[in-house]
Amino acid sequence: MPAPRRDPVTRAADALASPVLNALIGLAGIIIPIAAWVSASASVKNTLLIAETAIVIALTGNHLWLRKRFITLRRATNLKAMDDAQYYDLVRAHLEQELISDYGEIADGHLQVYASEVPRLSVLLVKTLLDSPTQPKRILAADLTTNPGLLAQRREYLAANRRLLETGGTINRLFIVFQDDLRREDYAKDFLALVNHHRQLGVTCGLAVRDRLRADQAVDVVIIAAAAALVEEEQGDAEYTRGRSSVYFKNVERWIGRFESVWGHGADSAPMVLQSYEATARPMLDGGTWDTDRARQTVDIL
């Protein structure tokens, strides 16, 4: 696959950051004063001194620009202090390359995280929304709810959600559920308990039947204001020993549009769909009179 074409600004920035260019400028900064010193012509000396001054200004400006654009990594001051300097240096180089690769992604407005890093990053995104001036203080979250108990176990994430709500923020959470699951008594019990838990926090909850959504709508995503979208591409297990997610800091509005297309408005909105399901399911659960046929009929008309 061919490499994506870079825009002119990116190419210019990379050229300015080029070690070769900076080495040539530095070399010119050495040669010019020597040439001015050996030259007998006053006009040549003045011209070279002007050029030298311009180079010093350019080097200073470039240095300040590089400090803003790049992260400086601390190097080991004494490789000989390591028990096996060669082994250490190989490990250091490998870890450094991973770090540089991650920061390259971040610089492009995209980051991919795996396994236990996924819930940690989701908490970081919510806490950052609390600490930043970003508006609105709002989260739109769509959850592919195949296991209702799993979301209830992510305590740090739910605690961060609670803090956001307590400070005046809002959360709309859309539960996307297979119709066969909604017909099952054991699933309905755990699912409605999860809904209760979120409502107690102050979350506005909604329901969508997964079988009736397009593939691009049935996505597990947490949208932070209009600033970031955390998309879960491979769902994690209870301990989050697996799972893969991506964070997008660009084109977040497309994820907002997908969410809103499912959330809807009025009588057909996701909160109203959830209320219609609850009106049938809760009395049967509370009375111990679950009727699968009646549950099926209710789900079919949602």
Side-chain angles (χ1 to χ4, degrees):
M1 180 181 293
R5 296 184 62 184
R6 298 175 301 169
D7 59 84
V9 175
T10 301
R11 290 199 300 270
D14 290 341
L16 289 173
S18 167
V20 175
L21 176 61
N22 283 276
L24 290 174
I25 294 174
L27 184 60
I30 296 172
I31 294 173
I32 287 176
I34 293 174
W37 182 70
V38 300
S39 174
S41 171
S43 61
V44 171
K45 284 180 182 290
N46 290 336
T47 301
L48 292 175
L49 287 174
I50 292 171
E52 176 68 12
T53 302
I55 287 176
V56 171
I57 293 172
L59 283 172
T60 302
N62 195 42
H63 173 71
L64 294 174
W65 178 77
L66 288 172
R67 286 188 62 183
K68 287 186 176 181
R69 188 168 188 262
F70 293 97
I71 296 171
T72 302
L73 299 177
R74 178 180 177 271
R75 297 287 184 175
T77 55
N78 186 7
L79 282 176
K80 293 181 180 180
M82 308 301 169
D83 289 342
D84 188 325
Q86 186 175 16
Y87 176 81
Y88 161 79
D89 202 41
L90 288 172
V91 172
R92 177 206 58 75
H94 177 73
L95 294 175
E96 184 179 280
Q97 184 58 46
E98 286 187 355
L99 178 65
I100 291 172
S101 175
D102 287 345
Y103 272 94
E105 288 187 351
I106 293 172
D108 290 334
H110 169 257
L111 178 64
Q112 195 165 64
V113 288
Y114 300 88
S116 61
E117 288 298 300
V118 177
R120 186 184 69 84
L121 184 61
S122 65
V123 172
L124 173 63
L125 291 172
V126 178
K127 287 183 175 179
T128 303
L129 178 60
L130 280 166
D131 297 336
S132 74
T134 298
Q135 293 293 338
K137 301 293 187 187
R138 180 190 70 183
I139 291 176
L140 305 177
D143 185 74
L144 301 181
T145 318
T146 54
N147 181 355
L150 188 60
L151 186 58
Q153 295 176 25
R154 298 174 188 171
R155 295 181 179 85
E156 285 189 70
Y157 176 67
L158 292 175
N161 280 205
R162 183 185 296 109
R163 287 195 293 275
L164 176 67
L165 292 163
E166 288 173 348
T167 57
T170 62
I171 300 176
N172 291 351
R173 185 170 299 280
L174 175 68
F175 298 103
I176 301 176
V177 186
F178 284 113
Q179 59 185 13
D180 286 345
D181 287 337
L182 291 170
R183 297 165 180 166
R184 290 167 34 213
E185 180 179 6
D186 58 336
Y187 182 93
K189 182 178 180 180
D190 291 343
F191 171 61
L192 293 182
L194 177 64
V195 170
N196 280 344
H197 182 63
H198 279 271
R199 282 180 176 157
Q200 289 169 4
L201 295 177
V203 177
T204 301
C205 299
L207 171 65
V209 180
R210 187 171 179 177
D211 310 69
R212 300 170 196 168
L213 300 180
R214 302 191 308 269
D216 65 328
Q217 293 176 315
V219 179
D220 205 310
V221 60
V222 178
I223 305 165
I224 309 295
L230 172 64
V231 183
E232 190 166 1
E233 295 160 346
E234 180 183 338
Q235 287 194 298
D237 51 7
E239 289 76 30
Y240 245 100
T241 55
R242 62 181 178 84
R244 182 183 72 248
S245 293
S246 288
V247 185
Y248 299 93
F249 298 95
K250 293 180 179 178
N251 301 319
V252 177
E253 63 276 1
R254 72 186 176 109
W255 297 104
I256 296 175
R258 291 182 186 183
F259 179 92
E260 291 180 342
S261 71
V262 182
W263 187 263
H265 302 281
D268 295 327
S269 66
M272 296 302 296
V273 171
L274 177 57
Q275 288 184 30
S276 297
Y277 177 71
E278 289 180 281
T280 299
R282 286 195 185 276
M284 291 195 296
L285 289 172
D286 293 341
T289 57
W290 187 263
D291 185 331
T292 302
D293 289 335
R294 187 180 175 195
R296 180 183 293 109
Q297 291 172 4
T298 298
V299 173
D300 288 346
I301 62 175
L302 290 177

